[in-house]
Amino acid sequence: MNIGQIAKMAQQMQTQMAQVQQELAETTLEATAGGDAVRIVITGAQEVRHVEIDPSAVDPDEVEMLQDLVMTAINEAIARSKELERERMGAIAGGLGIPGMPGLPGLR
């Protein structure tokens, strides 16, 4: 494999990665906590788009519990978005053998 082929592959990969990043920014994921008392909608780019709290979960004596539920739902949403990102980016890098990206012919 010559340097021209490697440069072309890198350019194609960069274009694909930009496309995937755009798709991730437009994809939404949902996570809940507390038996759906708290619902979070987040993008694949990890931007929180919506927070919904069931009114029955709002108890002035249980504010700390509600805070924990919100935090749990946000962390679950972020974990899901990171997994989606790994899947989408892995599909691009899967055939390449760059460190951390196994499989690029000629570069081991």
Side-chain angles (χ1 to χ4, degrees), residues 29-62:
L29 303 143
E30 182 178 309
T32 62
D36 295 340
V38 176
R39 184 174 74 93
I40 303 295
V41 176
I42 190 170
T43 69
Q46 300 165 5
E47 177 184 330
V48 176
R49 289 281 174 92
H50 183 75
V51 176
E52 184 178 313
I53 300 172
D54 185 322
S56 67
V58 181
D59 180 345
D61 296 327
E62 297 289 333

Side-chain angles (χ1 to χ4, degrees), residues 38-108:
V38 176
R39 184 174 74 93
I40 303 295
V41 176
I42 190 170
T43 69
Q46 300 165 5
E47 177 184 330
V48 176
R49 289 281 174 92
H50 183 75
V51 176
E52 184 178 313
I53 300 172
D54 185 322
S56 67
V58 181
D59 180 345
D61 296 327
E62 297 289 333
V63 171
E64 200 170 303
M65 182 184 74
L66 180 57
Q67 291 169 339
D68 288 344
L69 291 175
V70 171
M71 183 177 61
T72 298
I74 289 173
N75 286 334
E76 175 63 24
I78 289 171
R80 288 181 186 187
S81 72
K82 285 181 179 180
E83 180 60 30
L84 179 64
E85 181 179 32
R86 273 192 294 279
E87 289 172 8
R88 300 267 175 100
M89 291 298 186
I92 293 171
L96 305 177
I98 298 170
M101 299 179 208
L104 181 61
L107 294 178
R108 303 220 185 252

